């Protein structure tokens, strides 16, 4: 996989309006924009992903909230949404 990730700081109120409770956005107000070139390692062929991930905590444990994810290939979109629970 090839990754290109941009990390940026945003407004705290914006994060709080997007992240669902009981998740708590990271204290540094950071957001990750990711672009991933997926090789044919999962049986779906080569495809591209792009999305927004917000580092959070849940009951004191570090987690990632996937706010959005866009793909250019239909089968992993369906599996992501229906099987793995990602908003693809």
């Amino acid at each position: 996989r090839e990754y290109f990730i941009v990390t940026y700081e945003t407004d705290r109120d914006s994060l709080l309006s997007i992240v669902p409770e009981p998740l708590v956005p990271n204290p540094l107000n950071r957001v990750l924009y990711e672009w991933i070139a997926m090789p044919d390692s999962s049986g779906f062929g080569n495809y591209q992903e792009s999305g927004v991930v917000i580092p959070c905590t849940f009951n004191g444990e570090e987690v990632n909230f996937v706010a959005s994810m866009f793909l250019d290939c239909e089968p992993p979109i369906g599996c992501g949404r229906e099987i793995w629970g990602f908003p693809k």
Side-chain angles (χ1 to χ4, degrees):
R1 295 182 182 168
E2 295 177 37
Y3 290 85
F4 178 73
I5 302 173
V6 176
T7 303
Y8 63 93
E9 184 179 339
T10 191
D11 178 78
R12 184 74 179 171
D13 291 334
S14 296
L15 280 180
L16 292 171
S17 72
I18 294 171
V19 173
E21 292 182 11
L23 299 180
V24 177
N26 65 91
L28 299 176
N29 301 322
R30 292 200 174 141
V31 176
L32 310 174
Y33 170 77
E34 301 180 345
W35 174 83
I36 307 167
M38 301 290 285
D40 186 15
S41 61
S42 57
F44 294 123
N46 297 327
Y47 64 95
Q48 313 294 311
E49 289 188 356
S50 180
V52 175
V53 176
I54 302 171
C56 296
T57 57
F58 175 71
N59 292 332
E61 204 173 316
E62 292 184 5
V63 298
N64 286 324
F65 172 65
V66 180
S68 63
M69 188 169 291
F70 304 96
L71 283 69
D72 65 354
C73 185
E74 184 64 33
I77 291 172
C79 288
R81 184 184 61 236
E82 304 300 331
I83 297 173
W84 302 311
F86 289 111
K88 295 184 178 196

